[in-house]
Amino acid sequence: MKYNQNQYVSNRLSLLLIYISIMYLITFLQQEFVLIPELQNLDIINDEIKADALLKFQRTRWLSFIALPIFLLIKLSLVTLCLYVGGLFFSEMSDHKYKEWWGIVVKAQIVMIIYGVILCILNIIYSNNIMSEVSLYSSLLFICDETTENWIKVPLAAVNIFEMAYWIVISKFVAKLVKTTLRKSFKFVMSTYGIMYFCYIVLLMFLDLYLG
């Protein structure tokens, strides 16, 4: 039993380290092949200002590598907490421990990692404009026009293919854990993680509306 628990923890830790490694690689490639070339090609006449901007970026780029695992752990912890607390209100889910929900969330994160890899590859091969193109055609942003305000675009962009895939994958793992149907588990995810995601969207809308 102890061996199985140790193996479970080891597997989740290994998966987490793989995610962080991939995120580091994505960040490095984006910096080297997208951000730095953009800084070098800034439409600035004064070469000294351009060189100074590039130097400041080189000095602070390491901060992103520290922030990445922190933000990832915070996100995974919040999603897990939503599922765990929500499960306490359902008899068939209340006996499952926090680490079991954590395992589900860690495995489902692969969807977002794949999303990041796809964006990185497209961004390097084509241009930075591809990011907006992918966001446009993978979400509800295609219904917007030039007159649409930015704060309205926030919830439309939030409803995208990859986020929906993330919800479905979590629901499948939940259904497997509690031995229920995908439909019931999806409703559970909507009533737990969905509430947190809704609050997150509202916060982004507020920030864009009043600070943008």
Side-chain angles (χ1 to χ4, degrees), residues 69-189:
I70 295 175
F71 286 134
L72 177 62
L73 290 174
I74 290 175
K75 181 204 171 180
L76 295 178
S77 299
L78 288 176
V79 177
T80 303
L81 185 63
C82 287
L83 298 178
Y84 174 71
V85 173
L88 296 177
F89 295 93
F90 296 87
S91 58
E92 66 272 22
M93 301 179 183
S94 59
D95 57 339
H96 292 286
K97 298 180 180 179
Y98 182 89
K99 68 177 183 179
E100 294 178 281
W101 298 109
W102 170 264
I104 286 176
V105 175
V106 170
K107 288 187 292 184
Q109 184 63 23
I110 187 64
V111 176
M112 294 305 176
I113 297 297
I114 293 174
Y115 179 42
V117 171
I118 292 174
L119 286 182
C120 178
I121 294 174
L122 292 176
N123 205 15
I124 292 173
I125 294 177
Y126 298 100
S127 66
N128 201 32
N129 294 330
I130 197 66
M131 302 281 283
S132 57
E133 291 293 324
V134 173
S135 298
L136 178 64
Y137 295 109
S138 64
S139 66
L140 296 179
L141 284 174
F142 66 89
I143 66 176
C144 299
D145 54 31
E146 296 180 354
T147 62
T148 306
E149 297 185 23
N150 288 332
W151 67 274
I152 298 179
K153 294 180 181 179
V154 172
L156 297 178
V159 183
N160 60 77
I161 295 174
F162 293 96
E163 184 64 34
M164 292 301 100
Y166 179 65
W167 285 43
I168 293 172
V169 171
I170 291 181
S171 300
K172 291 192 71 172
F173 285 132
V174 171
K176 184 178 179 180
L177 177 67
V178 301
K179 296 179 176 56
T180 186
T181 63
L182 179 61
R183 182 177 180 180
K184 289 183 178 180
S185 63
F186 188 77
K187 288 181 178 180
F188 169 73
V189 173

Side-chain angles (χ1 to χ4, degrees), residues 23-105:
M23 292 171 68
Y24 277 159
L25 180 60
I26 291 173
T27 302
F28 175 78
L29 293 175
Q30 291 274 28
Q31 290 179 349
E32 288 295 320
F33 296 102
V34 180
L35 294 178
I36 292 179
E38 283 185 354
L39 289 174
Q40 292 173 337
N41 297 323
L42 281 176
D43 190 17
I44 299 177
I45 299 177
N46 193 327
D47 291 336
E48 185 177 345
I49 297 177
K50 185 187 296 185
D52 184 57
L54 186 59
L55 180 61
K56 287 182 178 178
F57 173 76
Q58 293 284 10
R59 288 177 176 175
T60 58
R61 62 185 296 186
W62 59 272
L63 292 172
S64 60
F65 294 96
I66 295 178
L68 275 176
I70 295 175
F71 286 134
L72 177 62
L73 290 174
I74 290 175
K75 181 204 171 180
L76 295 178
S77 299
L78 288 176
V79 177
T80 303
L81 185 63
C82 287
L83 298 178
Y84 174 71
V85 173
L88 296 177
F89 295 93
F90 296 87
S91 58
E92 66 272 22
M93 301 179 183
S94 59
D95 57 339
H96 292 286
K97 298 180 180 179
Y98 182 89
K99 68 177 183 179
E100 294 178 281
W101 298 109
W102 170 264
I104 286 176
V105 175

